[in-house]
Amino acid sequence: MSEASSGGLTRRAFLKTTAAATAVTAAGAGLSTVAAHAASPTRGLPDEQSFVNTCRGNCGGKCVLVGKVREGKLVQTRPYEPPEGFERSRMGCVKGVTYPQRLYAPNRVLYPMIQRGERGSDNWERVSWDEAIAYVSDHINKAQAEYGPNAFGLWHSYGSEGWLNGAYHQSTGVGYHRFLNTFGGTVIIPGGDQAQVYMGLFVMQHGTNSTADYTNAKTLIAWGANVTDTVRCCWPYICDARDKGARMIAVDPRYTITAAGSDTWIPVRSGTDGALMLAMANFIIDNDLVDWDFLAKKSVAPLLIKDDGSYFKLSDMGIPPTEGPISPWTGQPVIINPEVVFDKATGQLASQFTAEDPAVTGEFEYEGTRLRTVFDYVRDMTKQFTVEFAAKECDISEEQVIDLATTYATNGPTTVVMAQGICHHVNSRHNYKNLAYLASLTGNIDKPGACIYLNKNHVNVETTTLTTKEMYPDPSLMKPYATLCSERVPEVLETGKLGEADLPLKVVMIVSANPFASESGRPRFLETLKHLDCLVTVDCFMSDTARYSDVILPVGLSFEQEDFLQISSHEVDFLMQKAVEPAGEVKSDFEIYNLLAPKIGLDGLYDKDAEGYLHALLDNEANKKIGRTYDDFKREGVIADWSEEPVIGTEANALKRVQFYLPDLIARDVAYTVLPAEEKIPWYEHAMEAYQDNPLREKYPLFGNSEHSNYTGHSMYNDIPWIHEIWGDPYVMLNDETAAERGIAEDDLVRVFNDRGEVVLRARLTKGLRKDSIILPHGPQQDAYRVGHPQDLTLCFSDLTGNSSYNDFLCEVEKWKGGE
Ligand code: SF4
């Protein structure tokens, strides 16, 4: 099938022409209308209508965009304007205003298509929806009949939003999650940022403060976060704090814009953040900068543990557990069996919930059982991580370690602002425990101006009906599914096993994900595809993943369908309004599940239409009282609680204490059965490949890193003409001395390589980067590069969180010999 008839142009062909000319040729009236109207403001024309919606997925922003529609086409998007006095809550970025170009992009997939040649050959045939669904369901049914239910895998990622159609953020959403809870196969969860998602959010479950609370901090540490570019909603509040005299420190191998706007830049060696965190903790303990009261009353420090590392509980003293309230998730009573502390007020062991003055340190005994506090255990296990060790490991001075520790402990409240810079090494999972330990030692959490992790706001609309039988299918329909971390997919495809268990994965449907551009270890993924009988991609665009698939099911974008969304970075709820008819024959995710479900034995899975589910979601008693039913949203579009009052998070975990010790830690990756003791405490280990003393550095001396820019959202947006005009070709950032040693000048085409792969792209030189490091872009797809792809250099490896290790690789750079 030709590119034009498939609705697809390759990026290379696309970029060879001017943006406007290509747009007219490829998308017909759609994009030409956009270009013309964008050039001349059109306010006030009688046939214009405005709608609210957002960018579809893959950006934590979920900003409300106002889309202007004229003659049935979306001609402009702009940020929703908060009322006067709340300008700091203004949302949006350059990507958002290019949304019309995304909607009418030449590489939108407009029709279901089946690949008739080799995967990757771009030999597509347009088919009807009936044919496409029959093709997919036949493969699923055959595979499940032959190999069992787990032969069908469902793979989702960050690429969609909304309660009806979202596959990721709204984990109790209707379309995807009804399907997921009944199909009984294998669920493949992306690597992405799972060190943070799994450890920070799911396992440790710390409360966070609202975005406005940045203004209360006296010290802000941007740790591996270029806030101005990647979490920009925070920046106005950080500026407020700075205006009030807050000190800002950037810990980053690169002199980012955020570092430039800070008082202090600490250029740590990539992947060594954990060593610095633990050295700070030890300095704080050794110099008695500890907030003992917080440690005793708000952290797990005083909880008593037995020699096997498990918590000593009231039941160990013969006091039987009691039943608490019914859990909305299990329908069963919560079992209450409190952990025990030594209460200094009474000199007795007591429940952690009733003790007045828990002892943080000390050894105790109960009927022959030796007991010690979590604090003592962790302190003793981690004392090897000294200031001297960290200075050498991180390649910074001891004075810098001491200054950071002292400032963190004594110039509070301190907020650590982070994004994904500390998340993308194999050792990253430890960083989240380490930050919780630091925050516990100094009381820098759960109070105004003190927070770890990214600040979030609290949502207002009551949507918990989604967790009840009202929104979930008949329980008899629900089936258990196997979970698989995506980084293990190649191994499973090669061996048919996950650990010792059989897992004959034969058909995979990828939803809202582009793993062949976005997962680390890309070559292994592509190599092992040959073991799959059928790969289905549900996507809006001809992505790298779609290109290697057997079938593409085209899905709609925002403004093409109605949905509901809550924004965690702002206290805003809104109906994602349908503004235009869907392009070509695209369908919403919800419609696609509705088509597929009955063909694979999931009859009756959806008992309402889309609007019916939105009514069921919103029309509960709580929302009726506050005027937030479906009809209210239908009328208003956006309903927000504009407020500058910071909201301070409270501990969300069952212990009601900040957790830095995890005796019951379970690996997200089921292939791990026994976890070493170090996994359960704050810890540091050097990176898997990208560490200072690795002998491989003789061959590949440079530490590889990647960054998200203002101009891409993972693999989204990089095909947009306006973005390309501003951002240009993707480039590798090099220290200018590193470049000079290799005869590389600004804008040269260079080859970045290691034993796994290579990528050819332009060089951009800077003094603001460690000499031993390079930064590659994280996002653009294969055809943005002359040769290869940045993820061809990275490892395919699954730690216990299943995290993608984008920054854990060594490499070398040379001038490309292939010419222009
Ligand atoms: S890309 Fe993200 S930050 Fe930019 S407008 Fe869209 S949702 Fe907002």
Side-chain angles (χ1 to χ4, degrees):
M1 186 175 197
S2 73
E3 285 171 337
S5 59
S6 74
L9 283 179
T10 65
R11 176 187 164 86
R12 181 94 42 237
F14 180 51
L15 296 179
K16 275 181 186 159
T17 59
T18 66
T22 307
V24 173
T25 307
L31 196 50
S32 63
T33 305
V34 171
H37 289 166
S40 55
T42 55
R43 279 193 191 136
L45 291 184
D47 61 343
E48 281 176 0
Q49 276 184 290
S50 289
F51 299 85
V52 290
N53 211 302
T54 188
C55 304
R56 184 185 156 109
N58 221 348
C59 166
K62 306 183 200 171
C63 306
V64 191
L65 300 176
V66 178
K68 190 183 286 182
V69 172
R70 192 181 311 133
E71 296 166 7
K73 298 286 178 188
L74 188 75
V75 295
Q76 184 189 77
T77 42
R78 59 186 162 78
Y80 182 80
E81 197 61 42
E84 198 176 332
F86 300 100
E87 289 80 2
R88 289 184 299 187
S89 297
R90 188 179 281 128
M91 295 163 256
C93 75
V94 66
K95 300 186 287 291
V97 296
T98 67
Y99 201 80
Q101 290 201 332
R102 195 162 171 238
L103 199 64
Y104 303 116
N107 66 346
R108 274 276 331 246
V109 180
L110 302 176
Y111 313 103
M113 293 191 291
I114 295 176
Q115 184 140 236
R116 296 303 186 190
E118 292 277 303
R119 288 181 185 139
S121 66
D122 274 344
N123 186 7
W124 295 101
E125 179 186 349
R126 175 179 167 179
V127 296
S128 68
W129 272 101
D130 284 348
E131 288 173 279
I133 293 294
Y135 185 97
V136 173
S137 57
D138 285 352
H139 277 86
I140 293 171
N141 292 333
K142 183 166 172 287
Q144 291 193 313
E146 196 167 338
Y147 299 100
N150 290 339
F152 174 34
L154 200 52
W155 185 335
H156 70 257
S157 188
Y158 304 109
S160 62
E161 300 282 6
W163 283 95
L164 278 175
N165 296 294
Y168 193 82
H169 296 287
Q170 312 297 353
S171 60
T172 49
V174 177
Y176 179 78
H177 285 273
R178 275 207 168 198
F179 195 86
L180 176 144
N181 278 296
T182 51
F183 86 122
T186 302
V187 176
I188 302 167
I189 310 174
D193 313 319
Q194 289 296 330
Q196 178 188 357
V197 174
Y198 186 73
M199 291 299 284
L201 302 181
F202 288 130
V203 175
M204 302 172 76
Q205 298 179 335
H206 294 305
T208 58
N209 300 349
S210 65
T211 312
D213 182 59
Y214 285 111
T215 57
N216 290 324
K218 273 183 75 182
T219 295
L220 290 147
I221 302 175
W223 207 313
N226 189 12
V227 186
T228 54
D229 283 33
T230 54
V231 275
R232 48 197 304 119
C233 61
C234 307
W235 192 246
Y237 299 97
I238 290 174
C239 290
D240 273 3
R242 301 277 287 144
D243 287 347
K244 291 196 288 184
R247 181 179 176 194
M248 182 134 181
I249 300 167
V251 182
D252 205 305
R254 183 182 156 200
Y255 191 64
T256 58
I257 295 173
T258 302
S262 299
D263 299 292
T264 307
W265 173 43
I266 303 180
V268 288
R269 182 180 284 133
S270 178
T272 62
D273 309 87
L276 180 53
M277 292 167 188
L278 290 180
M280 289 167 65
N282 281 324
F283 182 85
I284 287 164
I285 294 168
D286 293 345
N287 291 277
D288 200 11
L289 304 177
V290 175
D291 182 339
W292 294 104
D293 192 53
F294 185 94
L295 202 60
K297 295 188 174 140
K298 298 277 193 168
S299 82
V300 294
L303 304 190
L304 296 176
I305 53 174
K306 297 177 270 189
D307 280 346
D308 66 2
S310 65
Y311 281 132
F312 185 70
K313 299 196 173 192
L314 283 186
S315 59
D316 292 313
M317 298 167 68
I319 302 170
T322 54
E323 290 188 350
I326 303 288
S327 161
W329 295 99
T330 63
Q332 301 296 315
V334 176
I335 302 300
I336 300 174
N337 184 19
E339 298 72 23
V340 172
V341 298
F342 180 78
D343 189 353
K344 289 191 287 181
T346 62
Q348 302 288 323
L349 298 180
S351 159
Q352 62 126 331
F353 295 117
T354 57
E356 274 179 47
D357 190 10
V360 168
T361 184
E363 282 212 6
F364 309 94
E365 192 187 293
Y366 180 82
E367 294 184 353
T369 303
R370 188 172 76 110
L371 304 170
R372 57 189 156 165
T373 65
V374 165
F375 173 76
D376 283 352
Y377 175 64
V378 169
R379 179 200 56 204
D380 292 349
M381 287 284 285
T382 56
K383 62 185 173 196
Q384 64 193 283
F385 302 111
T386 61
V387 169
E388 298 76 26
F389 171 81
K392 185 165 176 292
E393 190 78 355
C394 306
D395 194 23
I396 57 178
S397 70
E398 292 182 21
E399 289 72 27
Q400 284 173 304
V401 181
I402 291 168
D403 177 53
L404 187 61
T406 308
T407 305
Y408 184 82
T410 64
N411 193 47
T414 301
T415 286
V416 175
V417 190
M418 54 173 231
Q420 303 304 340
I422 62 167
C423 181
H424 289 159
H425 288 77
V426 172
N427 64 11
S428 293
R429 64 196 182 280
H430 295 304
N431 292 336
Y432 302 92
K433 295 175 289 179
N434 299 346
L435 282 176
Y437 185 36
L438 271 176
S440 297
L441 288 171
T442 56
N444 276 307
I445 190 167
D446 257 1
K447 61 187 186 191
C451 194
I452 53 175
Y453 309 157
L454 197 59
N455 288 30
K456 297 280 186 196
N457 283 341
H458 299 248
V459 292
N460 307 298
V461 169
E462 172 57 61
T463 51
T464 52
T465 47
L466 277 182
T467 64
T468 70
K469 58 181 171 41
E470 168 95 23
M471 296 301 284
Y472 264 103
D474 178 344
S476 66
L477 289 176
M478 294 175 78
K479 299 188 200 90
Y481 52 79
T483 53
L484 173 63
C485 298
S486 58
E487 290 282 308
R488 284 204 182 268
V489 166
E491 173 193 329
V492 166
L493 290 180
E494 273 170 356
T495 64
K497 286 181 173 294
L498 176 62
E500 296 299 310
D502 289 337
L503 187 45
L505 203 55
K506 293 295 172 188
V507 179
V508 170
M509 186 162 103
I510 298 180
V511 181
S512 307
N514 189 5
F516 304 153
S518 297
E519 289 274 353
S520 58
R522 181 176 183 269
R524 276 203 75 201
F525 281 97
L526 293 177
E527 165 62 20
T528 52
L529 277 187
K530 62 188 178 208
H531 300 290
L532 266 185
D533 291 346
C534 183
L535 182 62
V536 186
T537 295
V538 180
D539 208 323
C540 324
F541 298 98
M542 185 57 78
S543 66
D544 280 354
T545 303
R547 191 155 272 134
Y548 286 99
S549 301
D550 300 297
V551 190
I552 306 175
L553 303 179
V555 72
L557 279 162
S558 299
F559 291 100
E560 291 181 323
Q561 58 214 16
E562 186 177 71
D563 209 326
F564 179 76
L565 193 60
Q566 295 176 294
I567 309 181
S568 53
S569 56
H570 300 83
E571 294 184 44
V572 178
D573 311 297
F574 63 104
L575 201 64
M576 300 164 68
Q577 295 175 325
K578 178 176 175 178
V580 295
E581 286 307 313
E585 293 180 6
V586 306
K587 294 188 182 294
S588 70
D589 304 70
F590 180 73
E591 289 171 317
I592 293 172
Y593 299 123
N594 269 275
L595 287 177
L596 185 56
K599 302 290 185 191
I600 57 170
L602 304 177
D603 304 271
L605 190 56
Y606 303 100
D607 56 354
K608 298 179 180 61
D609 62 11
E611 189 178 318
Y613 278 117
L614 289 175
H615 273 292
L617 166 69
L618 294 165
D619 296 351
N620 53 49
E621 290 307 312
N623 290 341
K624 282 177 191 164
K625 280 189 194 141
I626 57 173
R628 293 182 180 195
T629 63
Y630 175 78
D631 288 336
D632 295 317
F633 280 102
K634 194 80 178 169
R635 194 176 54 251
E636 307 278 334
V638 177
I639 302 181
D641 288 330
W642 301 107
S643 169
E644 295 288 318
E645 277 305 304
V647 179
I648 308 306
T650 52
E651 287 313 311
N653 61 63
L655 297 178
K656 309 289 182 204
R657 290 171 179 267
V658 184
Q659 299 187 84
F660 55 82
Y661 177 63
L662 306 169
D664 304 320
L665 178 65
I666 297 169
R668 175 173 162 259
D669 189 327
V670 296
Y672 287 83
T673 49
V674 180
L675 298 182
E678 294 80 14
E679 291 296 345
K680 302 175 180 182
I681 60 174
W683 194 247
Y684 171 71
E685 63 192 29
H686 66 60
M688 172 163 268
E689 179 172 296
Y691 63 94
Q692 170 72 357
D693 301 324
N694 188 343
L696 188 63
R697 290 196 69 217
E698 285 186 20
K699 190 175 175 190
Y700 299 119
L702 299 173
F703 293 89
N705 295 276
S706 60
E707 66 165 4
H708 293 298
S709 91
N710 249 336
Y711 303 111
T712 61
H714 291 190
S715 61
M716 297 177 174
Y717 289 99
N718 54 75
D719 282 338
I720 305 295
W722 288 337
I723 298 261
H724 187 257
E725 225 171 300
I726 304 167
W727 196 44
D729 284 338
Y731 53 81
V732 57
M733 194 168 284
L734 295 167
N735 179 283
D736 52 7
E737 288 182 45
T738 309
E741 286 165 9
R742 291 158 175 78
I744 293 168
E746 177 84 7
D747 244 8
D748 277 351
L749 280 170
V750 296
R751 175 175 171 257
V752 186
F753 62 99
N754 60 21
D755 286 343
R756 285 181 292 272
E758 62 180 348
V759 60
V760 172
L761 71 177
R762 300 264 171 210
R764 185 168 290 183
L765 312 190
T766 179
K767 293 187 191 309
L769 176 64
R770 289 178 55 92
K771 281 179 64 179
D772 59 10
S773 298
I774 63 147
I775 310 261
L776 285 164
H778 188 152
Q781 298 199 106
Q782 183 178 322
D783 53 9
Y785 300 99
R786 296 293 196 286
V787 177
H789 189 278
Q791 298 309 336
D792 289 351
L793 283 79
T794 51
L795 290 154
C796 183
F797 178 81
S798 182
D799 65 17
L800 67 87
T801 69
N803 193 39
S804 287
S805 47
Y806 299 116
N807 295 347
D808 203 337
F809 67 96
L810 294 172
C811 60
E812 178 55 291
V813 183
E814 65 180 13
K815 209 164 166 174
W816 192 43
K817 302 183 181 75
E820 283 297 314

